[in-house]
Amino acid sequence: MPDLTNGSGAAMKSPKTALTRNQIRGFWASWGGWTLDGMDSFIYALVLVPSLRELLPRSGIALTKGNIGFYGGLLFALFLAGWGLAFLWGPIGDKFGRVRTLMLTIVWYSLFTFLSAFVTSVWQLATLRLLAGIGIGGEWAMGGTFVAEEWPESRRRAGAGYMHTGYYVGVFLAAFANFAIGSRYGWRAMFAVGGIPALLLAWIRHGVAEPARWQQKAGVVRSWEVWRPFAALFASPLRRRTILNTLFMLASICGLWAGTVYVPAAVITLAEGAGRTAQQAAQLASHAVMFVSFATVLGCFAMPALAERLGRRGALALYFALMATFIALTFGKIFYLGASALPWLFVGLFFLGFGGANFAVYTLWLPEQYPTECRASAFAFATSFARFGGAGITFLVGAGIQHYGSLGIPVALTSLAFIVALLLIPLGTETRGQPLPM
């Protein structure tokens, strides 16, 4: 891998550094894993209503709108708890390598998503979503760390933005699969489809080498105890940035309810209220998710330029402001407009989708704040541990839906998390113009 700095340590400015075969193939491996990750994680949101309509009665639970909201939130909370446990992949990635750990995470979540097609009770589905979340949470940390370490300094910002589009392409694919398969063959077929594509990654992964930065320190980190990278994250001077990054991520997770998770349920509710059939409502929900995914991909492509012009903190603040504004407006106001709500809902969903690209900022920003020996652990901890808090908030949102008998107000209240995060952003570590630490 060529030297990425000049004699003074400043980052190279050439925008046309050629990518090696390993950088290209490794990027597509990471992007493909993140794409399938997005598809697998969003399948549950798309099949939430039909799966619970079948499984709740079979589990001895009354089939009511309140129970669908409550148990839907509970299952998603368990999924986020599994994602929270994914922080354990970080030390494994630091000790044994990014590529090896990446492959293991993909096999993990693929298996448990596929098995979800055969459940006979809501509790079996809850267990498998918990286990799938562990694998899904680890893929982002490993793929993002690989791209940050392997791509040349002059193209690293673009690589972060490009890689994060994979998740939303996966969401788009999940919506398309639901339109073509789920609406015709049912929710079990969706879980089955979600588990199969990850098997193709064995071919993509063949021949991808570990990043040179990790190989240079492999002898050191392999001798460490597995907990050692975590200890480094909470030692001075990394402690403050680790805590802040986790809080920023917690705010981003709160946006999942408005930007992704409850979009299908909101569209189905409004469409059926307007007289559409169940199949028409499901297809419209798929269109809405594809629309949100398209807007988020646009936001991911815009991220590198915004992060360079506004700084990492400024770019994250812009995305957070969009989320705070349009979560409150879309679910607190538009959702209650009645028959005229659907067209305006799609307007709000575009801005929610664009603002949802705030996750792409972490793919760029987190690796810039930590040295190689604990970078994967830092990425995994910040992006996963906050999910425990997200799991609790998910349960509260589900309980709020049960209490109000509507998802609008409970989801709209999640906008408050972004307002708090905007106040904290000035305390974050700005890394614009700095090379990736060794």
Side-chain angles (χ1 to χ4, degrees):
M1 184 171 167
D3 184 15
L4 302 181
T5 61
N6 58 27
S8 64
M12 290 177 62
K13 301 297 183 181
S14 171
K16 297 183 178 180
T17 305
L19 295 177
T20 66
R21 180 181 181 275
N22 195 63
Q23 289 165 352
I24 294 172
R25 190 155 189 168
F27 169 82
W28 285 116
S30 301
W31 186 89
W34 198 217
T35 298
L36 296 174
D37 193 326
M39 184 176 74
D40 279 20
S41 64
F42 199 68
I43 281 175
Y44 172 66
L46 288 167
V47 303
L48 169 64
V49 174
S51 64
L52 291 182
R53 281 175 175 169
E54 176 182 335
L55 293 176
L56 286 178
R58 297 180 68 173
S59 304
I61 301 169
L63 182 60
T64 65
K65 288 185 178 180
N67 280 340
I68 288 177
F70 177 79
Y71 285 97
L74 177 62
L75 264 64
F76 195 76
L78 289 171
F79 171 73
L80 285 179
W83 196 320
L85 291 171
F87 76 90
L88 298 172
W89 294 110
I92 296 174
D94 281 326
K95 189 177 182 69
F96 298 106
R98 287 56 165 126
V99 176
R100 296 183 185 92
T101 309
L102 186 59
M103 294 177 65
L104 183 58
T105 64
I106 292 172
V107 171
W108 183 290
Y109 74 68
S110 176
L111 173 63
F112 291 114
T113 299
F114 180 78
L115 291 177
S116 298
F118 305 98
V119 298
T120 58
S121 75
V122 69
W123 306 117
Q124 292 176 2
L125 181 60
T127 301
L128 291 174
R129 294 311 291 161
L130 172 70
L131 293 170
I134 296 174
I136 286 173
E139 203 284 338
W140 182 16
M142 296 306 112
T145 301
F146 175 90
V147 172
E149 292 180 342
E150 183 68 1
W151 272 42
E153 191 69 35
S154 59
R155 303 184 70 166
R156 190 168 49 77
R157 289 189 305 275
Y162 296 158
M163 183 196 154
H164 209 77
T165 64
Y167 187 90
Y168 301 97
V169 171
V171 173
F172 183 94
L173 291 176
F176 180 79
N178 190 52
F179 177 83
I181 298 173
S183 63
R184 291 175 170 82
Y185 302 104
W187 60 271
R188 294 182 185 275
M190 285 290 290
F191 279 128
V193 169
I196 293 173
L199 301 176
L200 299 176
L201 289 179
W203 177 84
I204 299 173
R205 294 262 187 276
H206 180 69
V208 178
E210 297 288 350
R213 286 174 182 267
W214 180 82
Q215 293 185 35
Q216 291 169 8
K217 296 194 175 184
V220 175
V221 296
R222 281 177 174 166
S223 67
W224 283 10
E225 297 86 350
V226 72
W227 53 265
R228 179 81 175 273
F230 281 147
L233 301 185
F234 289 94
S236 180
L238 301 180
R239 184 188 307 112
R240 173 174 165 170
R241 64 185 63 179
T242 298
I243 294 172
L244 284 170
N245 290 333
T246 304
L247 292 175
F248 296 148
M249 187 67 192
L250 179 59
S252 294
I253 292 167
C254 289
L256 288 174
W257 288 268
T260 53
V261 175
Y262 280 109
V263 168
V267 173
I268 289 173
T269 299
L270 293 176
E272 290 182 344
R276 308 284 182 93
T277 66
Q279 182 174 350
Q280 289 173 333
Q283 291 177 338
L284 188 61
S286 296
H287 288 143
V289 172
M290 288 187 281
F291 182 64
V292 170
S293 302
F294 173 74
T296 308
V297 169
L298 292 180
C300 290
F301 281 128
M303 186 278 294
L306 291 173
E308 190 62 18
R309 179 177 293 273
L310 304 177
R312 282 41 168 169
R313 295 181 301 184
L316 190 62
L318 175 61
Y319 289 123
F320 276 8
L322 285 172
M323 294 300 289
T325 300
F326 284 95
I327 287 174
L329 182 62
T330 303
F331 286 88
K333 178 66 176 178
I334 294 174
F335 183 77
Y336 294 102
L337 292 179
S340 63
L342 274 174
W344 288 107
L345 183 74
F346 273 76
V347 174
L349 292 181
F350 175 83
F351 290 100
L352 285 177
F354 193 93
N358 66 82
F359 285 95
V361 177
Y362 301 114
T363 307
L364 171 64
W365 194 22
L366 290 177
E368 294 178 339
Q369 298 182 54
Y370 298 92
T372 302
E373 55 265 28
C374 65
R375 182 172 291 123
S377 295
F379 203 132
F381 185 88
T383 57
S384 297
F385 196 79
R387 309 273 171 173
F388 288 120
I393 295 171
T394 303
F395 184 79
L396 291 176
V397 172
I401 293 171
Q402 186 182 42
H403 174 75
Y404 283 97
S406 167
L407 61 83
I409 295 298
V411 174
L413 288 174
T414 62
S415 63
L416 296 175
F418 291 96
I419 296 174
V420 174
L422 283 168
L423 299 176
L424 295 176
I425 281 180
L427 302 177
T429 302
E430 182 57 68
T431 56
R432 176 173 57 177
Q434 300 176 16
L436 194 72
M438 290 297 295

